Amino acid sequence: MADLDSLKEAVISGDANTAKAVTEAAVAEGIDVQVIVSDYLIPAMDEVGRRFEANEYFVPELLIGARAMKTSMAVLKPLLADSGVKPVAKVAIGTVKGDLHDIGKNLVASMLEGGGFEIVDLGVDVSPEQFIQSVQESGVAIICMSALLTTTMGSMKDTIQALNAAGLRDKVQVMIGGAPITQQYANEIGADGYSDNASAAVSCARKLAKVA
Amino acid sequence: MPKIQLDPLGVVIELATGASINDALFAHGVEFPCGAKGRCRGCRVRVTEGAAPMSAADQKVFSDEELATGWRLACTMRATSDLRLQLAAYTAPVLADETAFTFTPRDGLGIAIDLGTTTLVAQLLDLSTGAVLAVRSGLNPQAVHGADLMSRLDKATQEGGLDELAVQIHQALAELIAGFADERHPLERVQRAVVVGNTAMHHLFARRNCDSLARYPFESSEMDLSEHRADELGWPLPPATPVFMLPDLGGYVGSDLLAGILATRLHESEHPVALLDLGTNGEVVLGDRHGIQVTSTAAGPAFEGAGIQQGMRASTGAIHACSVHGGVPSYQVIGGGAARGICGSGLVDIVATCLDLGLVEASGRMAHGVKTIPLRDEVVLDQTDIRQLQLAKGAIAGGLAVLLARRGLEPKDLGRVYLAGAFGNYVNQSAGCRIGLLTAPPEHITTAGNTALLGAKLALFEDDLAFTAIRSLVSHVSLKADMEFQDRYVEAMSF
């Protein structure tokens, strides 16, 4: 019998090999993939996030935790598609136009994936048009924008204005984050959500997706 | 209170009787290569008026003749009576690697300027002897628009911003130069001035368009030497005096690092060596006479004591070092009084000690579930302080790791690692190694002082200021969105 508690433990401690092995064993035994995801992987990443916010964990532990979660998800993904399990919501994420910094963006993407969201990663230097395209073509419910620089954060406002102009603003929630970003800036440009770290971004996205 | 006159600064300082003169001298740009431990001669001063007792360290490092002519170490000297001191750091001929640099004498005077994001230093040199006649330092007035580069560039891309910033820096430097005239130096004899600084500072000084530096691609096509006239800049020099700002190397890595290469002669080295400028914007240079790679990496302000809960600059009241006796740490405070905070070098030392004592785990987490560690007086180390340090040292060590990997080298292959800048001068190297900021063997690490200013001085004696040969060796490596850097950055964050 696969020890699923050790899967949870492996993600929390960032042990990708164990996470993969236990996941494969569980799948071979025919354990419901949705149970693996919602009862073990998501709570494990929640615990990683909790420890990060409590300052017990730092960026490296967050990343190795996310990596362990991803190796497990890689085993489960094909099965999830077959089982008809629905993600919490579909999220498009990108570093805004003019900016190339993506460590924070990647971290948020991993945490959201660990939180049960489906991720469309648009990469870096993402223009307002590309964000709009993701809403039109991929049907994303939430747009997440990241910027590390005071010189590039203005592009977030451009994207929101472009969404307005395209008549899409009420079809999608907008979340922003990054070093120079504040709640005040989010209010100023009319973003729906802001978080100052990757873990809080998950609770913010859940709130916007109305699942928490 | 004893009054101490500092030559050639033309400054008189007043200190409490018995106070150490370190802090006051540090504030005037004197560096203490051995960490003010009385081991080297970097901070030596000559007593020209008054009398200063000899310390044990003085007797060790100076010859009888030197002692008789008044040479003392500033780091072991105390203010007991009125004194007049000549600071060797400023009067010695241009030095590189502790050996006199060979230069071709020229007529007249020259001015070398290190145009920093935070501080400005200008030296007046006699070009026939290489001697420094005077020095002036000040703060970059552009700081009112923000302490970091990006906020300056942001300002520069707004309407009228570039002009405003350019005028600010030209005026501030004009005032420093005017200070030389106050000391009755004949500024009409100045033949040329050389300015160095990072790429952003160059763009603001030369009114170059900053759009492509402020956002993607974070590079500019204008990297060449710029030539100006003193009258255009409003400087109190003969109107046609040429003012050169040296060429930049790539990305944000500017002429200050070109100067660093000149000062360390990295471009002539047979074997690979590294030059690290440890600041808010950390710069890493790796190379030898066959090729040089440069990169810049955002380390954040932890090395300057900013962004730390009780952080402060390296001044009176800052815990700057830490040592362990019988398993019990003790903390040293600049000035010797009560501790008021932690400076950058203190943070490195404290964390290294806490790692050794098992108070901090390799992940950076404090052991035993605590969130703060009391140090001395009211000063505590906070868990978030360690996180800030992890980000800073991860950026530097990760940047160097990428450059090393591209050449198939390991840290131990570096014949020499030069540390530039004030923090690099002060940091305890073994503590720097312990926390993983410095990855090369400790015996290969050398403090190099203000290599930007030193290189600018050397350039004053050169004919070809385009430095075409050196620049053809240099390639700039961008770490932004480099997946390998992200991995190494994260790896280097742990202890």
Side-chain angles (χ1 to χ4, degrees), chain B residues 421-472:
Chain B
F423 175 79
N425 228 345
Y426 257 110
V427 68
N428 174 333
Q429 291 171 9
S430 60
C433 291
R434 176 64 186 87
I435 68 159
L437 165 64
L438 306 172
T439 48
E443 63 273 19
H444 291 182
I445 300 169
T446 309
T447 50
N450 186 343
T451 54
L453 189 61
L454 183 50
K457 285 191 272 189
L458 298 177
L460 280 173
F461 301 95
E462 295 287 329
D463 289 323
D464 173 23
L465 294 181
F467 292 102
T468 320
I470 295 182
R471 286 174 74 206
S472 69

Side-chain angles (χ1 to χ4, degrees), chain B residues 123-143:
Chain B
Q123 290 192 341
L124 180 68
L125 275 85
D126 183 333
L127 296 180
S128 62
T129 62
V132 178
L133 303 175
V135 57
R136 278 284 183 273
S137 63
L139 293 174
N140 187 330
Q142 296 169 342

Side-chain angles (χ1 to χ4, degrees), chain B residues 224-248:
Chain B
D224 292 336
L225 174 76
S226 64
E227 191 174 344
H228 313 262
R229 278 167 53 113
D231 54 353
E232 289 163 13
L233 301 171
W235 291 4
L237 300 172
T241 310
V243 175
F244 302 95
M245 188 144 184
L246 299 188
D248 301 305

Side-chain angles (χ1 to χ4, degrees), chain A residues 55-56 61 63 98 102 149 151, chain B residues 150 214 216 218 363 384 486 490:
Chain A
N55 242 315
E56 291 168 34
E61 290 116 315
L63 285 174
D102 64 353
L149 305 171
T151 51
Chain B
M150 292 319 292
Y216 181 80
F218 305 103
S363 65
T384 56
Q486 298 191 11
V490 169

Side-chain angles (χ1 to χ4, degrees), chain A residues 54-61 63 67 98-103 106 124-125 149-152, chain B residues 150-151 153-154 214-216 218 363 365 371 383-384 387 390-391 480-481 486 489-490 493-494:
Chain A
N55 242 315
E56 291 168 34
Y57 271 13
F58 196 42
V59 179
E61 290 116 315
L63 285 174
R67 202 176 296 171
D99 207 328
L100 294 177
H101 296 85
D102 64 353
I103 295 182
N106 293 343
V124 298
D125 191 25
L149 305 171
T150 46
T151 51
T152 58
Chain B
M150 292 319 292
S151 42
L153 290 174
D154 193 29
R215 50 187 74 90
Y216 181 80
F218 305 103
S363 65
R365 179 176 21 197
K371 297 276 180 250
Q383 175 68 68
T384 56
R387 301 315 192 187
Q390 285 180 278
L391 291 175
K480 293 185 181 75
Q486 298 191 11
Y489 177 42
V490 169
M493 258 185 235
S494 299

